Amino acid sequence: MLRSFLFYISKAFSLIIILFLFINSTTNIRADVLYSPDSINKLLSQSSDSSRLELLIKSANNYNSSNANLSIEYAKIAINLAEKLNKPHIKILAEVIIAKAFFYTGDYTKSIESLKESETQTLSIKDSSNLIEIYQTFSLVYAKIGDFKKALEY
């Protein structure tokens, strides 16, 4: 009796695991299709300027660590569009994304240079949310290169 009960429990547990894996794998496939560069480019061509700007920032941020070159490309387009729409805080956000992409590729010098430029712009428009992001990234970069004293300053 106990043996048959355990058999049914193990079958039910196996079925739940298989069902979970099946649902999870198809969800990831749909996400990959939705956020593929081709899909993003199609959406960009069909969107208004403000929607394109939002999509560019999200895409640049999503590709930051996995495809830094594509992230930089999207962020540069976002910078031009943010300038056109007079959205300096979004422009700075795109510049910080570029600095992070340089960090992920190991180009710490370019990352620091980009962060310094972004910091200056952020201070001039008094944008505290981007300033926090900049200082966190400064800290990461300096910690990565072993300058812990400078990392602690941020």
Side-chain angles (χ1 to χ4, degrees), residues 59-61 63-64 67-76 97 101:
S59 300
N61 215 9
Y63 282 111
N64 213 298
N67 188 341
N69 290 331
L70 188 58
S71 175
I72 291 169
E73 180 182 332
Y74 286 149
K76 284 182 178 180
I97 290 170

Side-chain angles (χ1 to χ4, degrees), residues 52-116:
R52 278 195 350 242
L53 184 57
E54 185 179 330
L55 181 60
L56 285 163
I57 291 296
K58 284 182 180 178
S59 300
N61 215 9
N62 286 341
Y63 282 111
N64 213 298
S65 61
S66 63
N67 188 341
N69 290 331
L70 188 58
S71 175
I72 291 169
E73 180 182 332
Y74 286 149
K76 284 182 178 180
I77 296 169
I79 289 169
N80 291 331
L81 191 54
E83 286 175 346
K84 176 183 170 187
L85 298 174
N86 194 26
K87 297 199 177 219
H89 60 285
I90 304 276
K91 178 184 178 227
I92 293 168
L93 181 59
E95 290 172 349
V96 173
I97 290 170
I98 291 173
K100 287 182 179 180
F102 288 138
F103 169 77
Y104 286 120
T105 60
D107 195 341
Y108 306 122
T109 304
K110 279 188 179 179
S111 182
I112 291 169
E113 288 170 5
S114 182
L115 287 168
K116 284 181 180 178

Side-chain angles (χ1 to χ4, degrees), residues 21-34:
L21 291 174
F22 177 73
I23 291 170
N24 192 33
S25 67
T26 58
T27 303
N28 288 339
I29 290 169
R30 283 184 294 209
D32 289 344
V33 169
L34 181 62

Side-chain angles (χ1 to χ4, degrees), residues 96 122 127-138 154:
V96 173
T122 302
D127 182 4
S128 59
S129 63
N130 277 332
L131 193 59
I132 292 167
E133 185 79 19
I134 290 167
Y135 288 158
Q136 287 175 339
T137 308
F138 263 130
Y154 292 100

